Amino acid sequence: MDHRIYQTPPFVVPPTKTSQSQKQSTVSFKDVLHEQSQLKISRHASERMHERNISIDDKQWELIQGKMQEAKEKGVTDSLVVLNDATLVVSTKNNTVVTAMNRDEFASKIFTNINGTILIQD
């Protein structure tokens, strides 16, 4: 058995050809940060909202997003957002709506793993 160590030649990736018509897109840090702070809706929450005919207008989404940011600054990671006609369970840590319920459903429910509540009235 040969115990010697042999050096292998380094692997070099050949440069790709780029034409002048192809331009590299530059994305600013501000754009990436803004995109990461946008409120996302999970597939599950989207399905529940559709099944339960829950509609939230852009003005309410902006208000929810602002309140979620405030809650996040106070250390809240998982929150219950109570609207006039719906309730959302949101992860402020991930800026994601986890699930949604209409007014009839959330009246008699127990919510767990929530460390903050956001009340929004129109």
Side-chain angles (χ1 to χ4, degrees):
M1 177 183 241
D2 188 7
H3 295 288
R4 291 179 280 180
I5 298 174
Y6 295 96
Q7 187 173 13
T8 59
F11 179 74
V12 177
V13 177
T16 59
K17 294 180 182 179
T18 57
S19 67
Q20 291 179 352
S21 63
Q22 293 177 336
K23 295 183 180 179
Q24 291 181 344
S25 64
T26 57
V27 179
S28 71
F29 177 74
K30 182 179 177 182
D31 293 338
V32 172
L33 185 62
H34 179 69
E35 182 179 312
Q36 290 299 317
S37 66
Q38 290 294 315
L39 183 61
K40 298 178 272 297
I41 303 172
S42 71
R43 187 176 76 201
H44 173 80
S46 180
E47 290 171 359
R48 296 301 168 263
M49 289 177 72
H50 180 71
E51 288 171 2
R52 297 166 177 161
N53 295 321
I54 298 170
S55 63
I56 300 173
D57 63 20
D58 291 341
K59 182 180 174 184
Q60 284 181 314
W61 280 122
E62 288 178 19
L63 185 58
I64 292 167
Q65 186 171 336
K67 293 297 182 181
M68 281 179 59
Q69 185 61 35
E70 286 180 43
K72 188 174 189 176
E73 290 170 4
K74 293 183 179 192
V76 175
T77 57
D78 297 294
S79 183
L80 183 68
V81 177
V82 180
L83 304 166
N84 289 339
D85 56 349
T87 296
L88 310 173
V89 175
V90 297
S91 168
T92 54
K93 181 172 56 175
N94 300 326
N95 290 331
T96 304
V97 177
V98 177
T99 193
M101 288 170 263
N102 60 26
R103 183 92 171 150
D104 298 333
E105 290 176 311
F106 75 79
S108 63
K109 297 289 183 188
I110 296 174
F111 298 95
T112 59
N113 298 327
I114 303 296
N115 65 350
T117 301
I118 300 171
L119 302 173
I120 299 177
Q121 285 187 317
D122 295 355

